[in-house]
Amino acid sequence: MNLIDTYIYEVTRRLPEKSRKDIAMELKSTIEDMLPENYTEEDVMEQLEKLGNPAVLAASYRDTPNYVIGPKVYDAYIHTIKLIIPWAILITALVHVVESIILFTGEQSILNVIIESSATIIGSIIMTLIQVFFWVTMVFIVIERVGLSNTDLPLTKNGVSWSPEDLKSIIIIPRKKIISKGEIIFGFIWIGIWGLVYFNADHLVGIYHSINDGGLQFVMPIFNQHVLLTYWPIIVAFIILEIGLLLYKFKAGQWTYPLAWTNTIIHSASIIAFFVIIKNPNLFNPDVIPYFANIIETNAISVENTMNWIWRGLIITLVITLVMEIYDSFRKARI
Amino acid sequence: MSSLLDSYTTELRRGTLALAVLSQLRTPQYGYSLVQVLEKAGVTIDQSTLYPLLRRLEKQELVTSSWDTTESRPRKYYVLSDYGLEVFEQLKNEWKKMTLELKSLLEGDVNIESD
């Protein structure tokens, strides 16, 4: 007797309030129908066994789905997650990189700062990903429950039912031509770092002297910040151009001839601008050369020669890298 | 192998379940009497499937229900509605058509003609 009521309770507590009473009554009379007269507990057990797990029975009474995100919206859900996650990572990383560069005072060693910031960045990215995952999932659960789509067909990523017309907007990109999202995100981070270093060169790029407690002491900047900053309109222009180029790459998703040409022009121009800036004799802090000469016990002229060689080597490397990149972009565009 | 067979058999049965139940509801039946009628006809149906199915049919207005409290224990009787009868007749015809089609397929005497 008690077993029957307990079983019914176990079923109905999982059901909506308004249908509980009716289902309970029906189940009770049905179970009693199944039992012989003067039944024993064993008989009850046997019949309840037939009805099976109360949770399963309750689930088949319920009309609402047993899943959180069903096949109808699953595709759109995965697409949204994939779309948001790279940007979430990018923005989080960028915010932290900017923060640690701005807060950098030179009191701690660069290595320490890099290690510490990396830890913070990884932590924040994980937190952001959890947040993104949670909120996107919440939104899609609501869509699933409320049934924002009026059709029974699965939602496509555009939020409407599929039709053969959709095929027209699909561009098949050969694997070798693809510009990956990672590449673009890396590009953004790269621009961000260079921009920040440029505008903060007076307390970032310099000669450091190691001090007793393992930290580094900032001795002097390598560049004349006011000379460096006279070029700011050029730098800002190039930052904007590079960002535009990245957005163009993101939009195109693959290498094309117009993109390869734009890429060539912008990158060549930026390397020329770099040469022009480097060529300015007033760019370098005049105190640097005597300082070095003093340390390595040689005269200023040979230090200057060495520095010149370093710059030439740097310029040649840059040009070679650029040529290789341009060649590669055209090769990919041709495929 | 046999579990695969079981799952296909269950799937086949599930499709016929609503039709089997509707066919027996031209006269009022309560849950357990329906089980007995079906079992007598050789149709075994999981009771945990049947009762929810009855409620679903009611919600879709194919059957109507009423509580009979005159007997020793209250029983909920289900019977086909007019709409349910109509749907049942159509479904029955579909079934007949389908079995004919399948029969010719299974016996392999289909005349293969190019359209």
Side-chain angles (χ1 to χ4, degrees), chain A residues 96-121 203-204 208 214-216:
Chain A
H96 279 277
V97 168
V98 169
E99 194 187 57
S100 30
I101 289 178
I102 287 174
L103 294 181
F104 184 71
T105 52
E107 279 164 21
Q108 268 184 303
S109 80
I110 292 192
L111 194 66
N112 272 348
V113 172
I114 289 175
I115 291 170
E116 266 173 36
S117 324
S118 307
T120 334
I121 290 174
H203 62 269
L204 284 177
Y208 290 85
L216 283 174

mmCIF file of all heavy atoms in Angstrom, chain A residues 96-121 203-204 208 214-216:
data_model
loop_
_atom_site.group_PDB
_atom_site.id
_atom_site.type_symbol
_atom_site.label_atom_id
_atom_site.label_comp_id
_atom_site.label_asym_id
_atom_site.label_seq_id
_atom_site.Cartn_x
_atom_site.Cartn_y
_atom_site.Cartn_z
ATOM 1 N N HIS A 96 44.676 42.980 -21.073
ATOM 2 C CA HIS A 96 45.706 42.712 -20.075
ATOM 3 C C HIS A 96 47.088 43.128 -20.541
ATOM 4 O O HIS A 96 47.882 43.631 -19.748
ATOM 5 C CB HIS A 96 45.702 41.237 -19.691
ATOM 6 C CG HIS A 96 44.634 40.938 -18.703
ATOM 7 N ND1 HIS A 96 44.802 41.158 -17.369
ATOM 8 C CD2 HIS A 96 43.373 40.507 -18.860
ATOM 9 C CE1 HIS A 96 43.682 40.840 -16.739
ATOM 10 N NE2 HIS A 96 42.794 40.440 -17.629
ATOM 11 N N VAL A 97 47.364 42.929 -21.833
ATOM 12 C CA VAL A 97 48.668 43.345 -22.350
ATOM 13 C C VAL A 97 48.801 44.858 -22.213
ATOM 14 O O VAL A 97 49.809 45.375 -21.711
ATOM 15 C CB VAL A 97 48.836 42.900 -23.824
ATOM 16 C CG1 VAL A 97 50.041 43.578 -24.453
ATOM 17 C CG2 VAL A 97 48.983 41.394 -23.905
ATOM 18 N N VAL A 98 47.757 45.584 -22.609
ATOM 19 C CA VAL A 98 47.771 47.042 -22.501
ATOM 20 C C VAL A 98 47.989 47.436 -21.053
ATOM 21 O O VAL A 98 48.837 48.282 -20.736
ATOM 22 C CB VAL A 98 46.433 47.621 -23.030
ATOM 23 C CG1 VAL A 98 46.320 49.091 -22.677
ATOM 24 C CG2 VAL A 98 46.340 47.437 -24.527
ATOM 25 N N GLU A 99 47.255 46.783 -20.179
ATOM 26 C CA GLU A 99 47.335 47.103 -18.756
ATOM 27 C C GLU A 99 48.753 46.904 -18.228
ATOM 28 O O GLU A 99 49.320 47.781 -17.591
ATOM 29 C CB GLU A 99 46.357 46.213 -17.998
ATOM 30 C CG GLU A 99 46.099 46.650 -16.584
ATOM 31 C CD GLU A 99 45.258 45.613 -15.856
ATOM 32 O OE1 GLU A 99 45.687 44.443 -15.785
ATOM 33 O OE2 GLU A 99 44.177 45.966 -15.405
ATOM 34 N N SER A 100 49.354 45.736 -18.562
ATOM 35 C CA SER A 100 50.674 45.496 -17.968
ATOM 36 C C SER A 100 51.738 46.390 -18.585
ATOM 37 O O SER A 100 52.699 46.738 -17.909
ATOM 38 C CB SER A 100 51.078 44.016 -18.033
ATOM 39 O OG SER A 100 50.530 43.388 -19.133
ATOM 40 N N ILE A 101 51.553 46.785 -19.852
ATOM 41 C CA ILE A 101 52.545 47.690 -20.443
ATOM 42 C C ILE A 101 52.425 49.079 -19.820
ATOM 43 O O ILE A 101 53.417 49.715 -19.473
ATOM 44 C CB ILE A 101 52.393 47.747 -21.976
ATOM 45 C CG1 ILE A 101 52.860 46.424 -22.581
ATOM 46 C CG2 ILE A 101 53.216 48.889 -22.557
ATOM 47 C CD1 ILE A 101 52.716 46.322 -24.062
ATOM 48 N N ILE A 102 51.190 49.520 -19.621
ATOM 49 C CA ILE A 102 51.003 50.851 -19.049
ATOM 50 C C ILE A 102 51.472 50.894 -17.602
ATOM 51 O O ILE A 102 52.105 51.855 -17.161
ATOM 52 C CB ILE A 102 49.519 51.285 -19.164
ATOM 53 C CG1 ILE A 102 49.210 51.612 -20.624
ATOM 54 C CG2 ILE A 102 49.236 52.502 -18.295
ATOM 55 C CD1 ILE A 102 47.771 51.902 -20.890
ATOM 56 N N LEU A 103 51.215 49.829 -16.878
ATOM 57 C CA LEU A 103 51.581 49.814 -15.464
ATOM 58 C C LEU A 103 53.059 49.520 -15.242
ATOM 59 O O LEU A 103 53.561 49.591 -14.133
ATOM 60 C CB LEU A 103 50.730 48.799 -14.699
ATOM 61 C CG LEU A 103 49.244 49.110 -14.601
ATOM 62 C CD1 LEU A 103 48.533 48.030 -13.806
ATOM 63 C CD2 LEU A 103 49.018 50.478 -13.970
ATOM 64 N N PHE A 104 53.758 49.165 -16.343
ATOM 65 C CA PHE A 104 55.170 48.800 -16.201
ATOM 66 C C PHE A 104 56.001 50.012 -15.793
ATOM 67 O O PHE A 104 55.967 51.047 -16.434
ATOM 68 C CB PHE A 104 55.685 48.238 -17.531
ATOM 69 C CG PHE A 104 57.089 47.738 -17.459
ATOM 70 C CD1 PHE A 104 57.387 46.580 -16.760
ATOM 71 C CD2 PHE A 104 58.115 48.440 -18.073
ATOM 72 C CE1 PHE A 104 58.685 46.117 -16.689
ATOM 73 C CE2 PHE A 104 59.425 47.974 -17.997
ATOM 74 C CZ PHE A 104 59.697 46.811 -17.305
ATOM 75 N N THR A 105 56.725 49.873 -14.680
ATOM 76 C CA THR A 105 57.479 51.015 -14.171
ATOM 77 C C THR A 105 58.970 50.792 -14.275
ATOM 78 O O THR A 105 59.749 51.703 -14.053
ATOM 79 C CB THR A 105 57.140 51.246 -12.694
ATOM 80 O OG1 THR A 105 57.319 50.006 -12.006
ATOM 81 C CG2 THR A 105 55.726 51.727 -12.524
ATOM 82 N N GLY A 106 59.378 49.557 -14.589
ATOM 83 C CA GLY A 106 60.798 49.283 -14.674
ATOM 84 C C GLY A 106 61.383 48.850 -13.347
ATOM 85 O O GLY A 106 62.562 48.583 -13.241
ATOM 86 N N GLU A 107 60.537 48.786 -12.311
ATOM 87 C CA GLU A 107 61.054 48.365 -11.011
ATOM 88 C C GLU A 107 61.239 46.853 -10.956
ATOM 89 O O GLU A 107 62.114 46.349 -10.273
ATOM 90 C CB GLU A 107 60.106 48.816 -9.891
ATOM 91 C CG GLU A 107 60.328 50.267 -9.521
ATOM 92 C CD GLU A 107 59.173 50.824 -8.710
ATOM 93 O OE1 GLU A 107 58.440 50.016 -8.128
ATOM 94 O OE2 GLU A 107 59.031 52.057 -8.696
ATOM 95 N N GLN A 108 60.406 46.154 -11.688
ATOM 96 C CA GLN A 108 60.519 44.695 -11.712
ATOM 97 C C GLN A 108 61.226 44.298 -12.989
ATOM 98 O O GLN A 108 61.228 45.039 -13.969
ATOM 99 C CB GLN A 108 59.129 44.072 -11.718
ATOM 100 C CG GLN A 108 58.594 43.759 -10.342
ATOM 101 C CD GLN A 108 57.279 43.066 -10.469
ATOM 102 O OE1 GLN A 108 56.356 43.593 -11.070
ATOM 103 N NE2 GLN A 108 57.191 41.873 -9.927
ATOM 104 N N SER A 109 61.809 43.091 -12.996
ATOM 105 C CA SER A 109 62.456 42.668 -14.227
ATOM 106 C C SER A 109 61.387 42.339 -15.265
ATOM 107 O O SER A 109 60.278 41.933 -14.917
ATOM 108 C CB SER A 109 63.328 41.440 -13.963
ATOM 109 O OG SER A 109 62.522 40.288 -13.935
ATOM 110 N N ILE A 110 61.748 42.532 -16.527
ATOM 111 C CA ILE A 110 60.791 42.298 -17.608
ATOM 112 C C ILE A 110 60.300 40.865 -17.586
ATOM 113 O O ILE A 110 59.122 40.587 -17.746
ATOM 114 C CB ILE A 110 61.441 42.626 -18.975
ATOM 115 C CG1 ILE A 110 61.668 44.123 -19.051
ATOM 116 C CG2 ILE A 110 60.560 42.162 -20.119
ATOM 117 C CD1 ILE A 110 62.020 44.635 -20.406
ATOM 118 N N LEU A 111 61.256 39.944 -17.307
ATOM 119 C CA LEU A 111 60.891 38.535 -17.288
ATOM 120 C C LEU A 111 59.801 38.265 -16.253
ATOM 121 O O LEU A 111 58.803 37.600 -16.535
ATOM 122 C CB LEU A 111 62.139 37.690 -16.980
ATOM 123 C CG LEU A 111 61.967 36.201 -17.264
ATOM 124 C CD1 LEU A 111 61.777 35.972 -18.745
ATOM 125 C CD2 LEU A 111 63.157 35.422 -16.746
ATOM 126 N N ASN A 112 59.996 38.850 -15.057
ATOM 127 C CA ASN A 112 58.986 38.693 -14.010
ATOM 128 C C ASN A 112 57.639 39.208 -14.462
ATOM 129 O O ASN A 112 56.613 38.570 -14.262
ATOM 130 C CB ASN A 112 59.406 39.457 -12.756
ATOM 131 C CG ASN A 112 60.269 38.606 -11.858
ATOM 132 O OD1 ASN A 112 60.358 37.397 -12.074
ATOM 133 N ND2 ASN A 112 60.905 39.225 -10.881
ATOM 134 N N VAL A 113 57.668 40.404 -15.059
ATOM 135 C CA VAL A 113 56.418 41.017 -15.505
ATOM 136 C C VAL A 113 55.745 40.120 -16.529
ATOM 137 O O VAL A 113 54.534 39.867 -16.459
ATOM 138 C CB VAL A 113 56.678 42.420 -16.093
ATOM 139 C CG1 VAL A 113 55.417 42.976 -16.727
ATOM 140 C CG2 VAL A 113 57.178 43.338 -15.007
ATOM 141 N N ILE A 114 56.556 39.578 -17.466
ATOM 142 C CA ILE A 114 55.975 38.732 -18.509
ATOM 143 C C ILE A 114 55.349 37.489 -17.897
ATOM 144 O O ILE A 114 54.217 37.122 -18.211
ATOM 145 C CB ILE A 114 57.046 38.345 -19.560
ATOM 146 C CG1 ILE A 114 57.398 39.589 -20.389
ATOM 147 C CG2 ILE A 114 56.544 37.230 -20.471
ATOM 148 C CD1 ILE A 114 58.509 39.381 -21.370
ATOM 149 N N ILE A 115 56.079 36.875 -16.958
ATOM 150 C CA ILE A 115 55.546 35.651 -16.341
ATOM 151 C C ILE A 115 54.267 35.964 -15.582
ATOM 152 O O ILE A 115 53.250 35.288 -15.740
ATOM 153 C CB ILE A 115 56.595 35.008 -15.407
ATOM 154 C CG1 ILE A 115 57.752 34.456 -16.242
ATOM 155 C CG2 ILE A 115 55.967 33.889 -14.575
ATOM 156 C CD1 ILE A 115 58.937 34.011 -15.437
ATOM 157 N N GLU A 116 54.310 37.038 -14.791
ATOM 158 C CA GLU A 116 53.125 37.385 -14.000
ATOM 159 C C GLU A 116 51.932 37.718 -14.897
ATOM 160 O O GLU A 116 50.824 37.241 -14.667
ATOM 161 C CB GLU A 116 53.428 38.583 -13.090
ATOM 162 C CG GLU A 116 53.862 38.151 -11.703
ATOM 163 C CD GLU A 116 54.317 39.338 -10.869
ATOM 164 O OE1 GLU A 116 53.719 40.425 -11.024
ATOM 165 O OE2 GLU A 116 55.273 39.172 -10.086
ATOM 166 N N SER A 117 52.188 38.546 -15.915
ATOM 167 C CA SER A 117 51.068 38.924 -16.790
ATOM 168 C C SER A 117 50.516 37.710 -17.521
ATOM 169 O O SER A 117 49.311 37.588 -17.683
ATOM 170 C CB SER A 117 51.483 39.959 -17.827
ATOM 171 O OG SER A 117 52.404 40.833 -17.289
ATOM 172 N N SER A 118 51.417 36.803 -17.942
ATOM 173 C CA SER A 118 50.931 35.616 -18.652
ATOM 174 C C SER A 118 49.985 34.830 -17.769
ATOM 175 O O SER A 118 48.924 34.389 -18.212
ATOM 176 C CB SER A 118 52.085 34.712 -19.051
ATOM 177 O OG SER A 118 53.032 35.450 -19.751
ATOM 178 N N ALA A 119 50.361 34.684 -16.505
ATOM 179 C CA ALA A 119 49.497 33.950 -15.579
ATOM 180 C C ALA A 119 48.144 34.641 -15.460
ATOM 181 O O ALA A 119 47.097 33.991 -15.538
ATOM 182 C CB ALA A 119 50.172 33.842 -14.220
ATOM 183 N N THR A 120 48.173 35.973 -15.294
ATOM 184 C CA THR A 120 46.901 36.704 -15.179
ATOM 185 C C THR A 120 46.088 36.557 -16.448
ATOM 186 O O THR A 120 44.872 36.371 -16.400
ATOM 187 C CB THR A 120 47.157 38.218 -14.974
ATOM 188 O OG1 THR A 120 48.421 38.383 -14.372
ATOM 189 C CG2 THR A 120 46.057 38.835 -14.153
ATOM 190 N N ILE A 121 46.775 36.670 -17.599
ATOM 191 C CA ILE A 121 46.047 36.597 -18.869
ATOM 192 C C ILE A 121 45.386 35.236 -19.021
ATOM 193 O O ILE A 121 44.200 35.159 -19.344
ATOM 194 C CB ILE A 121 46.998 36.881 -20.065
ATOM 195 C CG1 ILE A 121 47.403 38.356 -20.050
ATOM 196 C CG2 ILE A 121 46.333 36.522 -21.382
ATOM 197 C CD1 ILE A 121 48.439 38.717 -21.065
ATOM 198 N N HIS A 203 60.085 54.775 -21.273
ATOM 199 C CA HIS A 203 60.320 53.998 -20.053
ATOM 200 C C HIS A 203 60.219 52.487 -20.261
ATOM 201 O O HIS A 203 60.153 51.727 -19.316
ATOM 202 C CB HIS A 203 59.416 54.463 -18.901
ATOM 203 C CG HIS A 203 57.950 54.307 -19.172
ATOM 204 N ND1 HIS A 203 57.195 55.303 -19.745
ATOM 205 C CD2 HIS A 203 57.113 53.281 -18.952
ATOM 206 C CE1 HIS A 203 55.949 54.882 -19.860
ATOM 207 N NE2 HIS A 203 55.875 53.669 -19.394
ATOM 208 N N LEU A 204 60.209 52.063 -21.531
ATOM 209 C CA LEU A 204 60.204 50.619 -21.800
ATOM 210 C C LEU A 204 61.463 50.177 -22.518
ATOM 211 O O LEU A 204 62.144 49.247 -22.084
ATOM 212 C CB LEU A 204 58.994 50.237 -22.661
ATOM 213 C CG LEU A 204 57.636 50.184 -21.984
ATOM 214 C CD1 LEU A 204 56.580 49.860 -23.023
ATOM 215 C CD2 LEU A 204 57.623 49.128 -20.899
ATOM 216 N N TYR A 208 68.928 48.408 -19.361
ATOM 217 C CA TYR A 208 68.614 48.000 -17.984
ATOM 218 C C TYR A 208 69.878 47.516 -17.318
ATOM 219 O O TYR A 208 70.773 46.955 -17.950
ATOM 220 C CB TYR A 208 67.564 46.885 -17.987
ATOM 221 C CG TYR A 208 66.191 47.342 -18.423
ATOM 222 C CD1 TYR A 208 65.839 47.397 -19.769
ATOM 223 C CD2 TYR A 208 65.248 47.728 -17.471
ATOM 224 C CE1 TYR A 208 64.591 47.816 -20.164
ATOM 225 C CE2 TYR A 208 63.985 48.148 -17.854
ATOM 226 C CZ TYR A 208 63.662 48.187 -19.214
ATOM 227 O OH TYR A 208 62.422 48.608 -19.582
ATOM 228 N N GLY A 214 67.740 40.987 -7.872
ATOM 229 C CA GLY A 214 67.284 40.242 -9.044
ATOM 230 C C GLY A 214 66.463 41.071 -9.988
ATOM 231 O O GLY A 214 66.145 40.647 -11.092
ATOM 232 N N GLY A 215 66.098 42.276 -9.592
ATOM 233 C CA GLY A 215 65.308 43.140 -10.458
ATOM 234 C C GLY A 215 66.205 43.849 -11.454
ATOM 235 O O GLY A 215 67.425 43.661 -11.482
ATOM 236 N N LEU A 216 65.592 44.672 -12.263
ATOM 237 C CA LEU A 216 66.362 45.423 -13.239
ATOM 238 C C LEU A 216 66.112 46.904 -13.019
ATOM 239 O O LEU A 216 64.993 47.311 -12.714
ATOM 240 C CB LEU A 216 65.923 45.050 -14.655
ATOM 241 C CG LEU A 216 66.419 43.725 -15.218
ATOM 242 C CD1 LEU A 216 65.777 43.457 -16.554
ATOM 243 C CD2 LEU A 216 67.935 43.718 -15.349
#
